[in-house]
Every structure is written in structure tokens, then in C-alpha cells.
Amino acid sequence: MTCRKTDAGRSRIAKFSGVLCVLAGAANVLAAVPIYNVEIVHTYPHDPAAFTEGLFYLNGFLYESTGLEAHSTIRKVRLETGEVLQKIDIPAQYFGEGIVDWHGHLISLTWKSQLGFVFGLDDLKLQRQFNYRGEGWALTRIIMSDGTSELRFLNPNTLRETGRVQVTLEGKPLQNVNELEWVKGEIYANVWQTNWIVRIDPSSGNVVGLVNLSGLLKTTDTVPGQTDVLNGIAYDAKHDRLFVTGKNWPKLFEIQLYRAGETAPGE
């Protein structure tokens, strides 16, 4: 999801304002939810033309989906250099959204077309399509976000919805849950148009941690009118590495979390 999606109207703006209020309140007064800062472990190059919608790490490589009509792609990327090793274009009428790997397949969403694609993970060749109602934003472990406060659970074979859970922060619905990543039994999620990642208990939907990424990308690395919002989370489970980036960001970061008020791990 992106601020360039401008046709959603006043209701979207109102929801966004509510999200900011909830997160601001959390940062200031909600002692029950742990707050984390981040330390940059490594910095890698990232294609500044990539309008990142989905991201995951698998077998030494990043897989990334990019958005915008007539510019949406799915690509396999070398982490260390940012080199695009393999790429397919999504048909021009679709706005590409989140992706996930699942048993040798790469599954992708589109924003408002209510259409998803299943590709072969090795060759990125289209195998089939599937449908869903509403908007498609992100995927992880066959769990889907749609821009609301709800996460949808999909049948791994049919990709039909089997249930939902509402994401809540201190009992209040958290709207605009965006890009998703499964990390050690939790779902990490970007919150659209904010510098926060929320850690979600997938069984209850409760937010169990807040990660503050304010200032991660320096002002000197931004291009006015081009550099967009924080979006994109990938996790290397084998080596316990967490990666984040943003839309049209020139950099991708490996980060390490630490509790607010504690000393950063590298200090």
C-alpha cells in the first residue's frame, strides 16, 4: 500500500489518522506493550526504482514484488549487491502487491483487482490464478492482510479464506496493517504510512511488541518526490537475520532489535 493510492478518499485518511493516534499513544503510555528500537547491523544496496510491496528471503536470495500499474514486477535479487537476477513483469493493468513462498510456489496478490497469481518459485512461470474479495496487501505463511485491521487465513491448497483475526493494540483495532513477515512464531507487520513495525500474536491478533524505525533512512539518502514510505520485511530464519527497506529506498538494512531504554547490542 502507498500514499500514491489517492482514490481511497476521506475514510482512508480518517483511518490513517486513527492509526497514528493509536501508535503515538502506545509510544508514550502503553507500558504493557514492549517497545523496541533497532540497531543497523549491515546496509545493502536496494534498487531506488523498486516500489516495494512484498519481500522475503529464501536460500540466500531476496524475492521482491514491486507495485504501481504498468510497473509491477516480481524479482529475485542478490542480497549483497542488489543485482536483479531474475524478473517478470505483472500485466500492466494490475498493481502488484505482497508475495510469499509456499512449498515451491511463489504466491502474489494485486491491490484492487481481487486477483492473485501462483508462480513456480524456480522459474517464475505462471501456474494458475485465484480470486479473493476486497483488497490484497500482503502475505506470509498463507496469511493475508487487506489494509484493514483484519488478517485473513487462507487454505494452502485452494487459497480460499478459512477465517480471520482482528489485529488489536491494547484492545483497539489497528488499521492499515501492511507488509507481513513470519518471525519466530509472530507476524511482523509494517503499518502503512508510519515508521512502525508491529509484532502480532497470530492466534489472538494482539500486538505484543512495537518496533520504532524512525530515522532509519537518513535524510541525505532520500529524494524528494521519489523516496516513499517504509515497507518490506524479510527474515532469514537459518541465520536469524531481519531485513527491512522501503518504497524507492536506495538501501536495505539488516537490523537487530533491542528494548527501549536498554543499551544497543553493538555498544
Side-chain angles (χ1 to χ4, degrees):
M1 185 65 179
T2 168
C3 59
R4 296 188 195 178
K5 298 176 185 176
T6 56
D7 58 347
R10 294 181 180 178
S11 62
R12 182 72 74 194
I13 295 173
K15 288 182 179 180
F16 171 51
S17 299
V19 168
L20 288 181
C21 289
V22 171
L23 289 175
N28 291 318
V29 302
L30 297 180
V33 180
I35 298 175
Y36 298 85
N37 294 324
V38 301
E39 180 183 44
I40 297 173
V41 179
H42 291 292
T43 302
Y44 300 98
H46 180 255
D47 181 2
F51 197 74
T52 305
E53 294 292 352
L55 192 70
F56 66 81
Y57 179 94
L58 183 68
N59 297 331
F61 300 98
L62 289 169
Y63 291 80
E64 182 175 22
S65 60
T66 67
L68 302 175
E69 287 90 351
H71 295 282
S72 296
T73 67
I74 295 174
R75 50 183 70 183
K76 180 180 181 180
V77 179
R78 192 181 304 280
L79 169 65
E80 294 79 10
T81 65
E83 176 188 4
V84 177
L85 303 173
Q86 196 175 1
K87 185 179 80 167
I88 59 169
D89 295 323
I90 300 300
Q93 67 268 36
Y94 300 121
F95 192 121
E97 285 283 353
I99 55 174
V100 67
D101 67 288
W102 191 255
H103 296 291
H105 304 287
L106 187 150
I107 304 170
S108 75
L109 302 174
T110 58
W111 177 32
K112 297 175 81 173
S113 301
Q114 303 185 72
L115 180 67
F117 302 104
V118 179
F119 300 94
L121 185 61
D122 292 333
D123 56 16
L124 296 184
K125 289 185 178 180
L126 180 64
Q127 297 180 341
R128 65 186 178 98
Q129 301 179 359
F130 65 99
N131 297 100
Y132 49 85
R133 293 188 177 184
E135 298 182 5
W137 282 35
L139 285 166
T140 189
R141 289 285 183 97
I142 316 300
I143 301 169
M144 172 181 164
S145 64
D146 58 10
T148 69
S149 62
E150 293 185 325
L151 297 178
R152 308 183 190 187
F153 295 89
L154 307 182
N155 181 290
N157 297 314
T158 65
L159 298 177
R160 293 179 179 175
E161 183 179 332
T162 61
R164 299 191 181 198
V165 65
Q166 186 173 61
V167 178
T168 60
L169 176 58
E170 288 294 289
K172 298 180 180 179
L174 183 63
Q175 299 287 340
N176 294 342
V177 176
N178 201 357
E179 223 276 299
L180 307 175
E181 182 68 11
W182 187 273
V183 181
K184 299 179 182 179
E186 296 178 358
I187 297 173
Y188 283 36
N190 289 118
V191 181
W192 178 57
Q193 286 285 61
T194 78
N195 291 315
W196 292 90
I197 287 175
V198 292
R199 297 172 55 172
I200 304 166
D201 177 349
S203 61
S204 67
N206 293 336
V207 172
V208 296
L210 294 158
V211 185
N212 185 2
L213 289 96
S214 300
L216 183 64
L217 187 69
K218 295 180 180 178
T219 304
T220 53
D221 289 323
T222 65
V223 177
Q226 176 179 321
T227 309
D228 213 295
V229 297
L230 175 77
N231 200 53
I233 311 168
Y235 181 60
D236 173 10
K238 183 177 181 180
H239 300 100
D240 192 23
R241 297 187 296 172
L242 184 65
F243 306 101
V244 296
T245 190
K247 302 172 188 290
N248 300 127
W249 282 25
K251 295 179 179 179
L252 178 141
F253 301 94
E254 179 189 345
I255 59 171
Q256 187 171 355
L257 277 54
Y258 64 97
R259 288 283 292 267
E262 297 179 354
T263 303
E267 296 181 359

